[in-house]
Amino acid sequence: MQIDAASSDERYQIRKLDVTDKNKGFMELLQQLTVCDSVSDEEFQKRFEELRSCGDDHVICVIEDLVLSKIVATGSVFIEKKFIRNCGKVGHVEDVVVDSSARGLQLGKKVIGFLVDHARMTGCYKVILDCSADNKAFYEKCGFKEKEIQMVKYFI
Amino acid sequence: MQIDAASSDERYQIRKLDVTDKNKGFMELLQQLTVCDSVSDEEFQKRFEELRSCGDDHVICVIEDLVLSKIVATGSVFIEKKFIRNCGKVGHVEDVVVDSSARGLQLGKKVIGFLVDHARMTGCYKVILDCSADNKAFYEKCGFKEKEIQMVKYFI
């Protein structure tokens, strides 16, 4: 299906995560990213409220396909408060994914734009993320540059 | 000065950041890490209280040299709450630095151990950090492995 720019803007709504998005395939979308078992409605609501209580310090962006009532892209940003850089703040972007059926529509770029704008507006001096070598070119198109090495230690 | 293991354990106390640590060179220590202008006592206290209100979700570890009443090592960890991994949690380690006069005493390893233990105890499934190529070997000794690429976008 070919979608022109105008109808694409109407069809794909970008906004913050709503608690009802669990019924619109939000968790199934995250499963395309990594290990993501199904969680109960109660668990989802509890985590949603925990994150909502952080206010602007933790924001999850989603794009809804209004025709299908389905979440087709998401990403999150949380704001770390530091002592360095004159008590500065840093935005950390995490868990960015676009539904496999909705690629090529620039939805990933829109999600990153939303999260970067949020970090800028909350006064961050930088925004960072970790990505695979495969996704590096995408983030470069979004204005990011390679900086350091991500190291990890797993507990389970 | 040569310090044996026993006296080193007595001399170097590891604990959470206290608001009075500003008077023990905490900000001067951070200046060895990156751009870190001096902040007023009021600014420091405000940020300290903001972070303290996060409880276990944001912990700053320090090592005090009790002989000199000076903070000689620090590092922080904050706990990110996710929907993936069965509403899992990830520890993010940031701002690790050891005073240039106190290197070679394994204080960095102690700080990382403190932060990793905290992340494990709060139920994280992994702990991550970003480092330069120069520091990679140190973190490998601490049990970390290279995973992804850190990307950054600066606002200022």
Side-chain angles (χ1 to χ4, degrees):
Chain A
M1 177 170 48
Q2 190 70 33
I3 299 163
D4 67 35
S7 69
S8 170
D9 275 356
E10 282 168 27
R11 180 169 177 173
Y12 298 101
Q13 181 195 53
I14 191 161
R15 57 174 170 77
K16 290 184 188 175
L17 180 73
D18 187 83
V19 72
T20 61
D21 290 333
K22 184 170 186 288
N23 301 324
K24 293 179 179 174
F26 176 67
M27 293 303 289
E28 290 75 12
L29 176 62
L30 288 178
Q31 281 166 8
Q32 294 181 39
L33 181 71
T34 182
V35 178
C36 184
D37 300 324
S38 61
V39 298
S40 69
D41 287 351
E42 200 183 347
E43 285 170 316
F44 185 87
Q45 200 157 347
K46 191 181 162 213
R47 178 53 39 101
F48 181 85
E49 292 300 338
E50 278 177 309
L51 295 177
R52 185 155 67 177
S53 74
C54 300
D56 278 344
D57 289 344
H58 197 128
V59 163
I60 299 178
C61 165
V62 294
I63 293 181
E64 179 179 351
D65 178 338
L66 295 173
V67 173
L68 302 176
S69 293
K70 185 183 168 189
I71 305 302
V72 290
T74 185
S76 72
V77 65
F78 59 88
I79 312 299
E80 179 208 0
K81 291 170 178 145
K82 290 180 176 283
F83 283 105
I84 61 169
R85 297 262 180 178
N86 204 22
C87 291
K89 294 193 274 190
V90 171
H92 293 250
V93 167
E94 292 278 336
D95 301 342
V96 176
V97 59
V98 176
D99 190 275
S100 55
S101 70
R103 305 236 165 111
L105 298 167
Q106 310 281 312
L107 301 184
K109 223 169 174 177
K110 277 184 190 156
V111 166
I112 295 299
F114 186 100
L115 301 172
V116 166
D117 285 349
H118 180 78
R120 189 189 283 113
M121 283 188 305
T122 52
C124 292
Y125 69 89
K126 70 175 178 181
V127 57
I128 60 173
L129 57 86
D130 298 310
C131 72
S132 64
D134 285 348
N135 289 326
K136 193 183 149 190
F138 165 71
Y139 287 110
E140 283 172 341
K141 277 185 212 155
C142 296
F144 285 78
K145 282 184 182 166
E146 183 169 357
K147 183 81 190 292
E148 295 198 309
I149 300 164
Q150 185 213 24
M151 305 290 287
V152 61
K153 182 172 189 150
Y154 282 94
F155 298 130
I156 50 174
Chain B
M1 177 170 45
Q2 189 72 30
I3 299 163
D4 67 37
S7 69
S8 170
D9 276 354
E10 283 169 26
R11 178 170 178 174
Y12 297 102
Q13 181 195 54
I14 191 161
R15 57 172 171 80
K16 290 183 188 176
L17 179 73
D18 188 83
V19 70
T20 60
D21 290 334
K22 184 169 186 288
N23 301 324
K24 292 178 178 173
F26 175 67
M27 294 303 291
E28 291 74 12
L29 176 62
L30 288 179
Q31 280 166 9
Q32 294 181 39
L33 182 69
T34 183
V35 178
C36 184
D37 301 323
S38 62
V39 300
S40 69
D41 287 352
E42 200 182 348
E43 285 170 314
F44 185 87
Q45 200 156 349
K46 190 180 162 215
R47 177 53 38 101
F48 181 85
E49 292 300 338
E50 278 178 308
L51 295 178
R52 185 155 68 177
S53 73
C54 300
D56 278 344
D57 289 344
H58 198 128
V59 163
I60 298 178
C61 164
V62 294
I63 294 181
E64 179 179 352
D65 178 338
L66 295 173
V67 172
L68 302 176
S69 293
K70 185 183 168 189
I71 304 302
V72 290
T74 185
S76 71
V77 64
F78 60 87
I79 311 299
E80 177 206 2
K81 291 171 178 143
K82 289 179 177 282
F83 284 105
I84 62 168
R85 297 263 178 175
N86 205 21
C87 291
K89 295 193 274 190
V90 171
H92 294 250
V93 167
E94 293 278 336
D95 302 341
V96 175
V97 59
V98 176
D99 190 276
S100 56
S101 71
R103 305 236 166 112
L105 298 167
Q106 309 282 313
L107 301 184
K109 224 169 172 175
K110 278 185 189 155
V111 166
I112 294 299
F114 187 100
L115 301 173
V116 166
D117 284 349
H118 179 79
R120 190 190 282 112
M121 283 188 304
T122 52
C124 292
Y125 69 89
K126 70 174 179 182
V127 58
I128 60 175
L129 57 86
D130 298 309
C131 72
S132 65
D134 285 349
N135 289 326
K136 193 184 148 189
F138 165 71
Y139 287 110
E140 283 173 339
K141 276 185 212 153
C142 296
F144 284 78
K145 282 183 181 166
E146 182 169 357
K147 181 82 188 292
E148 296 199 308
I149 300 165
Q150 185 212 25
M151 306 289 288
V152 63
K153 182 173 188 148
Y154 282 94
F155 296 131
I156 48 174

